[in-house]
């Protein structure tokens, strides 16, 4: 058997260690997972009630057209239903975009380092990935623009960027869009936009109205706390959304996911409380990193990339032995940093205490 050439080199995705496995292997009773940017406060109680109510219907296919969900999201965001498409997480929306647009030999521009799914799905479709290094942890939009040529189909911009947490401002994005050929699609991945409190953060809904080639990705996995249900979406011009819809699987999002998402988008009070707690948690972590003499990238989501000043692998392992799971930067292109999700106040305190101890025990040079 011969798999297609474009996938032979691809690695299988390596997820973070599951909490249960860490507990068992290390004999720990309490483990704090700050590795996947999940919501430490769970999800809206209304979402859980909606899932429970949906159990009565498990023998029935979901609404493939997500009519009710589209209407609910359209109302809250102030867009048209036809501007929305839902996927099994925004991961699946990325897959659908790549599938709908790329033919082998197309080029696509993205940052390095950024969310790996852009490259992964582009390569599966045979597209050539042009990776532009981050500048001080932020997308270098001038260099990305310079990398665009007449073979470029899509530019991916992760804002705030995962894994650095940095953001591009409205002025930067507008200046980029003003000079980009209109036949190049721009995907703004805004998985963490609800956490953002900066006045400089772009309003992508406004941009979508003004530029015919901009699509924004959103997810229910992060601030809405529905990661296990797999649901995310794109907002864009009606014609682009229709194109993506042509490659969508008929029943790609479950009844549970749809019901929970409807309940969640209508509970903006929960979102607001999570955003506030996150802002406080970020202030606390920033203060503590400064006290420990560590520098971090300016964070605009619910996670921080902090330079621990020594190889990340041993720091990651030592934190793990203390029951704290973070992401080691050595696996993300940042050999002396760790990426940590902002947790609850209690989790943040325990993380800092553990980190302080680990740093005092881990040599700077290994
Ligand atoms: C978490 C994340 C996503 C995707 O999440 P889904 O669970 O697939 O919706 C997309 N983009 C970025 C940058 C993320 O961090």
């Amino acid at each position: 058997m011969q798999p297609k050439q474009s996938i032979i080199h691809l690695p299988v995705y390596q997820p973070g260690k599951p909490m249960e496995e860490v507990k068992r292997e290390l004999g720990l009773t309490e483990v704090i997972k700050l590795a996947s940017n999940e919501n430490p406060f769970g999800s809206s109680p209304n979402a859980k009630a909606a899932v429970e109510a949906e159990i009565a219907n498990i023998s029935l296919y979901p609404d493939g057209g997500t009519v009710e969900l589209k209407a609910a999201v359209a109302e809250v965001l102030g867009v048209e239903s036809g501007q929305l498409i839902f996927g099994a997480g925004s991961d699946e929306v990325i897959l659908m975009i790549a599938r709908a647009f790329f033919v082998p030999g197309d080029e696509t521009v993205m940052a390095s380092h950024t969310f790996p799914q852009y490259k992964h799905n582009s390569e599966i479709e045979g597209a050539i990935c042009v990776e532009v290094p981050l500048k001080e942890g932020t997308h270098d939009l001038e260099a990305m623009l310079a990398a665009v040529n007449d073979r470029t189909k899509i530019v991916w911009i992760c804002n705030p960027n995962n894994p650095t947490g940095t953001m591009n401002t409205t002025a930067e994005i507008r200046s980029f869009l003003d000079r980009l050929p209109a036949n190049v699609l721009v995907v703004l991945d805004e998985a963490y936009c609800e956490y953002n409190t900066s006045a400089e953060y772009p309003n992508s809904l406004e941009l979508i109205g003004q530029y015919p080639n901009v699509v924004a990705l959103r997810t229910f996995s992060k601030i809405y706390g529905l990661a296990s249900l797999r649901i995310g979406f794109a907002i864009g011009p009606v014609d682009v959304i229709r194109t993506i819809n042509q490659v969508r699987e008929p029943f790609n999002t479950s009844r549970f996911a749809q019901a929970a998402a409807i309940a969640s988008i209508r509970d903006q009070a929960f979102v607001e409380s999570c955003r506030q707690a996150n802002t406080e948690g970020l202030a606390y972590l920033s203060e503590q990193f400064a006290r420990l003499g560590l520098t971090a990238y300016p964070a605009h989501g619910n996670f921080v990339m902090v330079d621990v000043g020594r190889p990340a692998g041993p720091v990651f392992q030592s934190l793990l032995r203390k029951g704290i799971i973070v992401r080691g930067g050595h696996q993300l292109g940042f050999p002396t940093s760790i990426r940590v999700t902002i947790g609850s106040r209690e989790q943040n305190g325990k993380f800092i205490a553990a980190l302080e101890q680990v740093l005092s025990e881990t040599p700077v040079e290994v």
Side-chain angles (χ1 to χ4, degrees):
M1 283 176 289
Q2 185 62 30
K4 62 196 226 184
Q5 194 63 34
S6 64
I7 72 165
I8 286 171
H9 69 290
L10 289 180
V12 173
Y13 182 77
Q14 296 298 330
K17 269 184 173 288
M19 293 215 290
E20 292 312 316
E21 195 179 312
V22 173
K23 279 186 193 168
R24 197 166 5 92
E25 279 179 9
L26 298 171
L28 298 165
T29 49
E30 193 201 345
V31 165
I32 297 174
K33 187 174 174 219
L34 300 174
S36 302
N37 304 339
E38 292 147 333
N39 188 336
F41 307 104
S43 54
S44 164
N46 302 349
K48 288 168 208 162
V51 167
E52 273 165 17
E54 208 50 53
I55 288 175
N57 297 321
I58 54 171
S59 62
L60 305 175
Y61 277 113
D63 170 16
T66 54
V67 174
E68 206 188 326
L69 175 56
K70 270 186 203 162
V73 171
E75 190 185 337
V76 172
L77 297 184
V79 299
E80 300 296 322
S81 282
Q83 292 185 274
L84 300 171
I85 181 168
F86 289 83
S90 45
D91 278 354
E92 195 202 10
V93 183
I94 294 168
L95 177 152
M96 290 191 283
I97 291 171
R99 193 170 182 187
F101 285 95
F102 290 133
V103 295
D106 283 344
E107 288 191 16
T108 182
V109 175
M110 64 197 69
S112 173
H113 299 277
T114 189
F115 192 57
Q117 293 309 304
Y118 319 137
K119 184 176 181 181
H120 182 80
N121 286 289
S122 300
E123 289 194 338
I124 290 172
E125 302 303 332
I128 297 157
C129 296
V130 179
E131 296 180 82
V132 177
L134 295 171
K135 195 170 156 186
E136 288 156 24
T138 309
H139 280 59
D140 184 349
L141 295 180
E142 293 303 315
M144 289 176 78
L145 188 64
V148 171
N149 61 38
D150 51 16
R151 291 181 300 279
T152 309
K153 275 255 178 84
I154 298 179
V155 179
W156 309 84
I157 301 174
C158 189
N159 198 29
N161 186 43
N162 185 359
T164 52
T166 54
M167 73 161 214
N168 291 98
T169 64
T170 306
E172 288 167 1
I173 299 270
R174 279 193 180 275
S175 162
F176 174 83
L177 292 174
D178 284 338
R179 290 174 290 156
L180 185 75
N183 63 333
V184 179
L185 180 67
V186 176
V187 179
L188 293 176
D189 187 343
E190 302 186 321
Y192 302 97
C193 67
E194 297 88 356
Y195 284 111
N196 207 296
T197 56
S198 166
E200 305 264 80
Y201 186 68
N203 178 344
S204 58
L205 302 179
E206 222 171 82
L207 297 176
I208 289 162
Q210 291 165 9
Y211 298 88
N213 55 336
V214 174
V215 165
L217 301 184
R218 303 280 178 94
T219 181
F220 283 96
S221 298
K222 305 289 159 60
I223 207 165
Y224 290 100
L226 302 180
S228 71
L229 292 176
R230 313 305 305 125
I231 188 145
F233 61 103
I235 317 161
V238 173
D239 60 326
V240 177
I241 295 298
R242 192 187 305 115
T243 299
I244 303 168
N245 218 350
Q246 286 176 295
V247 303
R248 187 178 57 75
E249 297 292 326
F251 304 107
N252 61 324
T253 60
S254 74
R255 277 183 175 276
F256 296 125
Q258 291 182 27
I262 292 167
S264 297
I265 196 89
R266 290 181 176 151
D267 189 355
Q268 289 297 316
F270 175 77
V271 172
E272 179 56 40
S273 74
C274 295
R275 175 167 42 238
Q276 224 165 316
N278 188 72
T279 303
E280 286 165 21
L282 173 57
Y284 168 76
L285 290 183
S286 305
E287 217 171 79
Q288 296 299 314
F289 291 150
R291 179 177 67 79
L292 297 172
L294 307 177
T295 53
Y297 284 115
H300 294 276
N302 68 336
F303 59 93
V304 187
M305 178 75 93
V306 58
D307 192 336
V308 290
R310 63 208 81 198
V315 173
F316 165 81
Q317 288 298 341
S318 303
L319 285 170
L320 194 63
R321 280 193 293 273
K322 293 183 187 302
I324 310 240
I325 317 175
V326 298
R327 279 305 288 263
H330 56 301
Q331 293 166 329
L332 304 169
F334 297 84
T336 62
S337 296
I338 56 173
R339 192 196 69 187
V340 59
T341 303
I342 299 167
S344 65
R345 191 185 296 213
E346 189 193 347
Q347 291 173 332
N348 295 335
K350 287 183 174 170
F351 160 68
I352 289 293
L355 180 65
E356 186 164 11
Q357 205 181 353
V358 164
L359 293 182
S360 73
E361 294 161 359
T362 317
V364 172
E365 255 127 15
V366 170

